[in-house]
Amino acid sequence: MAFDIELIRKVYGQLSGKVNAARTLLGRPLTFAEKVLYAHSFETPTMAYARGKDYVNFSPDRVAMQDATAQMALLQFSTCGRSQVAVPSTVHCDHLIQAKTGAVADLATAVDVNKEVYDFLASISNKYGIGFWRAGAGIIHQVVLENYAFPGGMMIGTDSHTPNAGGLGMIAIGVGGADAVDVMAGLAWELKMPKLIGVKLTGKMSGWTSAKDIILKVAGILTVKGGTGAIVEYFGDGAESLSCTGKATICNMGAEIGATCSMFAYDEKMADYLRGTSRADVAELANGVSSDLRSDKDVYDNPAAYYDQLIEINLDELEPYVNGPFTPDLATPISQMAAAVKEHGWPDQVEVALIGSCTNSSYEDISRSAFIAKNAMDKGLVAKSEFTITPGSELVRFTIERDGFLDTFGKMGGVVLANACGPCIGQWARHVSDPAKKNTIVTSFNRNFAKRNDGLSSTHAFVASPEIVTAFAIAGSLSFNPLTDKLKNESGQEVMLDEPQGHEMPPLGFDVEDAGYVAPAEDGSGVQVAVSPTSDRLQLLAPFPAWNGADMTGLKLLIKAFGKCTTDHISMAGPWLKYRGHLDNISNNMLIGAVNAFNMDTNKVKNQFTGEYGEVPMVQRAYKAAGAGSIVVGDENYGEGSSREHAAMEPRHLGVNVILVKSFARIHETNLKKQGMLAITFADKADYDKIQEDDSIDILGLTTFTPGEQLTVALNHKDGSSEMIKVNHTYNQQQIEWFIAGGALNVIRSEFAARN
């Protein structure tokens, strides 16, 4: 039986009425996304919400948190005054396990090294009624798909790949920890009504093509920011032919196009997956409201009339893609890859091939990869690259071990890593002799920004399907095309790999001995959550100060970031993950990966007090100690990537007042607002070039801060001249209240105090 079955019954019991009311309100047929959105409005809708314009209060059904972000989220939640979470919530220990030698040893090391953090998360979960998944249980998104996701539901998660649950027909959105606190506290969760992008899939895949190739192609079409502010809804005969976990892969990697989330309508493939993961009761309930778990007929008949943008992909013609390096939207069809390698001078030798992660670790993915591995060995081939396998959950790991797949990978020389994020998020102690040497790795992960996987700027990381990655491991060459190319085996014969075959679901069913779940106490009032005052891993939070009511003047320019500045650049992962519960310590990585536009170096900025250059966090600490405000200037899509709120909390903690950029990634902009920061954009993007290294900057108009009205920025240059520029913002009245109070958490805390 499913977790939270009574909650699901309640959602489905009210769904048809809410959908009919929304259809009447809008006076037209509805897309599936619209049905779920309107059905989860915090208040009864009285108007048709304008996409991309109106802010809407929503009421998600559940919250999921991974261990790296849960620390800060729960530290914040513990200060808001509630005795228990208001909605079902879970914590998943998946980010703090470093991949080094193999699953068993790496997990044991992680449990020892992270004991303090795991004990904290277990105890605080126990206290507040939160389900806890131990280290080794699996990656948050895979565990959610296997246990909690349900068609037509809405959830938020403190990880940018939360949309993975869209593979089971759920609106699942990655958020910062402060948003999670709102929902766990029983408050409304605010989101600008998303635009809708429709992707119509026709035909059916075959051979080497997989679901991964659909999202790799879509990423090439939309780019890393093309989905910003939108829900991507997949439909058509081609969508119905995809496995549930294949759908999840597509939705997971929708984060790489900036989408709010992605989703598929409920179908028989989802019902099969629900039944196969011991949730036949959910499938039965969903079948009872199936017409409300998909778009209305006229939407499918006339999609261009209902979506803000429409993309059509014929799966009969789709070929495998390889995306990268350094960005997930540089999409190259496998047939053109060899030419691209030569044209761009990418290192052709594949040094490491890695499959698994939250994006591609399903039974189907592993079975197809294992088929290729066995087929290669049967034909006398051996792997020429290092090869690693990351199962997504203990349920999958136990089952694929039972069915012999791990043994197959072992014979090929593969190393099985822990059921955790590992190399996908930089938790990888890679063995490399020359860190400066340009090299190529290929993964079935989702992100491939510079330094993302191994911390090395010299690494060219490419993303492909598990099948293609396995083929690259065998060939050892990025130019290899398994659809057309032959390989020479140990006997000197030329052979070709057979097309991959696999199973969507295990023929013998899933099996597991200990999934790793720990239920919370019925009454957690007596549970003690201890945080040592001398800990360097955990630190209790103090409220951020409220705005002083005046314009900001004399702000020092901390850094003018050049080009791509993701949350990895602002707050790196990898070894810094251990400080995710200690705001002051992790703030020592603030913006150390950002490129300074004035010298094109990283972590080297001018201290305006001394004229000397220093590390970004140290210069900012000097400004804070002197009581001087400061500003960060950035480029396009600032804050792209992970949902990590540390990228917003660190500047706030160290005294940065303003982030001024050409454009923001959605989650990061919201995170900044939640922490009481001023997040503004150039009205004229060319004004970015007017910012000089020694500028003193004023923000004017804050005393009449109003939704929709521009602010003025004064650039006071070193030579005594000044320039006035206009800047935009997207704050609504509630968000302005967050700014005035010094952060959303301050507002929540005062509201609960007033009630009690």
Side-chain angles (χ1 to χ4, degrees), residues 167 190 385 475 524 537 555 579 605 659 662:
E190 184 187 67
S385 304
R537 299 287 301 271
L555 301 180
Y579 296 125
V605 296
I659 310 293
K662 292 181 181 178

Side-chain angles (χ1 to χ4, degrees), residues 521-584:
E522 288 288 332
D523 180 4
S525 59
V527 176
Q528 296 296 313
V529 179
V531 176
S532 170
T534 60
S535 172
D536 71 344
R537 299 287 301 271
L538 297 163
Q539 180 187 46
L540 295 176
L541 296 176
F544 289 131
W547 173 54
N548 66 6
D551 286 340
M552 298 177 183
T553 58
L555 301 180
K556 303 298 183 185
L557 176 65
L558 176 62
I559 186 172
K560 178 179 174 180
F562 175 82
K564 188 184 286 287
C565 190
T566 71
T567 49
D568 278 325
H569 295 91
I570 304 168
S571 176
M572 288 185 176
W576 290 95
L577 284 172
K578 67 181 180 180
Y579 296 125
R580 285 288 178 85
H582 197 294
L583 183 55
D584 193 57

Side-chain angles (χ1 to χ4, degrees), residues 350-497:
V350 176
E351 296 200 359
V352 192
L354 308 95
I355 66 169
S357 83
C358 68
T359 320
N360 279 103
S361 57
S362 67
Y363 187 89
E364 180 180 28
D365 292 328
I366 299 299
S367 66
R368 284 169 64 90
S369 295
F371 174 89
I372 297 167
K374 185 177 185 303
N375 179 252
M377 290 186 289
D378 288 346
K379 294 186 175 185
L381 297 169
V382 296
K384 293 184 179 177
S385 304
E386 290 184 40
F387 186 53
T388 71
I389 304 93
T390 304
S393 70
E394 178 59 14
L395 180 72
V396 167
R397 190 212 63 79
F398 190 94
T399 304
I400 63 177
E401 181 179 41
R402 179 202 66 190
D403 292 351
F405 298 151
L406 295 187
D407 183 59
T408 297
F409 291 135
K411 290 177 180 176
M412 183 178 141
V415 175
V416 178
L417 302 176
N419 311 326
C421 299
C424 185
I425 60 164
Q427 282 284 58
W428 183 21
R430 184 180 173 190
H431 313 291
V432 55
S433 57
D434 182 3
K437 175 191 171 187
K438 287 186 178 181
N439 70 96
T440 286
I441 66 172
V442 185
T443 82
S444 69
F445 306 161
N446 40 47
R447 293 203 170 126
N448 59 345
F449 304 135
K451 301 184 181 181
R452 167 77 178 184
N453 303 119
D454 59 9
L456 302 177
S457 58
S458 56
T459 295
H460 293 56
F462 295 84
V463 178
S465 70
E467 301 94 318
I468 294 296
V469 173
T470 305
F472 280 144
I474 294 162
S477 168
L478 191 61
S479 300
F480 176 64
N481 182 355
L483 285 71
T484 58
D485 297 349
K486 294 180 179 179
L487 294 170
K488 189 171 291 187
N489 66 15
E490 292 180 302
S491 301
Q493 299 173 307
E494 288 192 334
V495 297
M496 285 189 69
L497 296 173

Side-chain angles (χ1 to χ4, degrees), residues 665-687:
R666 175 190 63 83
I667 298 177
H668 187 62
E669 182 180 24
T670 300
N671 286 346
L672 290 168
K673 292 177 179 180
K674 288 276 186 177
Q675 301 305 332
M677 295 281 285
L678 185 63
I680 52 180
T681 57
F682 292 101
D684 181 353
K685 293 181 180 181
D687 287 342

Side-chain angles (χ1 to χ4, degrees), residues 284-300:
E284 183 179 350
L285 290 170
N287 287 338
V289 292
S290 59
S291 63
D292 294 318
L293 298 177
R294 57 195 307 107
S295 297
D296 290 335
K297 183 177 183 300
D298 194 58
V299 174
Y300 292 140

